Amino acid sequence: MVAASTHLVIADDHPLFRNALRQAVASVVSEAVVDEAGSFEDLTALLERDSEIDLILLDLMMPGVSGFSGLIYLRAQYSAIPVVIVSATDDGGTIRRSLDFGASGFIPKRFGVDPLRDAIVKVLAGDVWVPPDTDLSAAADPEMSKLRDRLVTLTPQQVRVLMMLSQGLLNKQIAYELGVSEATIKAHVSAILQKLGVESRTQAVIAAAKIAGSAWRQETPTGK
């Protein structure tokens, strides 16, 4: 049974799909508290105010997030909150990587309300849910596994910095956005390069984009 006090967050930039997810949640437990976030910034602001959340339903592609970077950040910063990816990109590789990065399930956006409801019930019960026809048996790429293992060693703040590097922001712009000094950002960048085993900002962004595939938006870093 799902408790009436269940608190969920739907993080998706499409109002119509947020409404579909809200309907699915309401059909499971009508008294659940459901918050919505239309951008990753909205989501992090919400979590900073209240981290007593039972489940986050997260879109891979939304303003302020670059593919799996949002999932990596949430698993690092709020490890106790289950995250289920809800995405229109639902190939086997994307689903497998979502699970590798700590997602508690994966729901394709093409599914209707009934499968959404079934998935939500199972995840809230502590199970991992993926589409029944998903093939996760393919052998992992050793290079991708090594990159993934390095990427998950980043701290939450380093993940945020790498996300902003991927958007082509300068150190001073990142410092302004995060409310810290430029020296602090330089230290974070140095740590990111060391942890990822690369020598430049561009190589760091390429490494992140390589493991995330097309899901990690990539811009050319324009300087320091």
Side-chain angles (χ1 to χ4, degrees):
M1 295 295 292
V2 180
S5 59
T6 299
H7 188 179
L8 296 91
V9 177
I10 299 171
D12 191 289
D13 61 332
H14 293 93
L16 290 178
F17 192 74
R18 291 203 304 269
N19 185 59
L21 283 174
R22 182 179 281 275
Q23 290 182 40
V25 171
S27 68
V28 173
V29 50
S30 60
E31 298 180 10
V33 176
V34 181
D35 288 319
E36 298 183 13
S39 69
F40 196 70
E41 181 180 0
D42 291 343
L43 174 59
T44 54
L46 188 156
L47 291 171
E48 286 170 4
R49 294 193 303 270
D50 180 8
S51 61
E52 295 297 317
I53 308 295
D54 296 295
L55 178 64
I56 297 173
L57 299 172
L58 178 70
D59 186 11
L60 281 178
M61 303 293 287
M62 60 187 301
V65 67
S66 300
F68 298 105
S69 59
L71 173 60
I72 295 168
Y73 175 82
L74 292 174
R75 300 311 300 140
Q77 183 72 16
Y78 302 100
S79 59
I81 304 177
V83 179
V84 170
I85 297 300
V86 185
S87 178
T89 304
D90 57 8
D91 59 279
T94 299
I95 295 174
R96 177 170 184 153
R97 287 180 183 177
S98 296
L99 299 180
D100 285 345
F101 283 125
S104 295
F106 190 103
I107 305 174
K109 282 191 171 183
R110 57 186 167 85
F111 281 14
V113 172
D114 287 342
L116 289 176
R117 181 174 60 242
D118 180 56
I120 290 168
V121 169
K122 284 185 166 56
V123 170
L124 287 174
D127 296 330
V128 173
W129 194 93
V130 297
D133 59 349
T134 303
D135 181 10
L136 301 175
S137 62
D141 184 325
E143 181 183 358
M144 291 298 102
S145 296
K146 183 181 294 185
L147 277 175
R148 180 200 65 213
D149 291 345
R150 288 177 174 174
L151 203 56
V152 297
T153 66
L154 300 181
T155 66
Q157 192 77 323
Q158 288 165 0
V159 174
R160 295 296 295 275
V161 171
L162 182 55
M163 290 164 65
M164 292 178 176
L165 289 179
S166 298
Q167 295 165 11
L169 298 185
L170 305 175
N171 283 357
K172 61 183 179 181
Q173 294 172 311
I174 298 173
Y176 176 79
E177 291 292 333
L178 297 181
V180 299
S181 69
E182 190 171 346
T184 296
I185 298 303
K186 288 181 180 179
H188 280 317
V189 171
S190 295
I192 290 168
L193 300 186
Q194 182 177 13
K195 288 182 177 182
L196 295 185
V198 297
E199 298 180 353
S200 70
R201 297 157 63 95
T202 298
Q203 289 176 348
V205 171
I206 290 173
K210 186 179 295 184
I211 195 166
S214 61
W216 189 299
R217 286 195 300 274
Q218 178 183 352
E219 303 291 342
T220 303
T222 55
K224 297 183 178 181

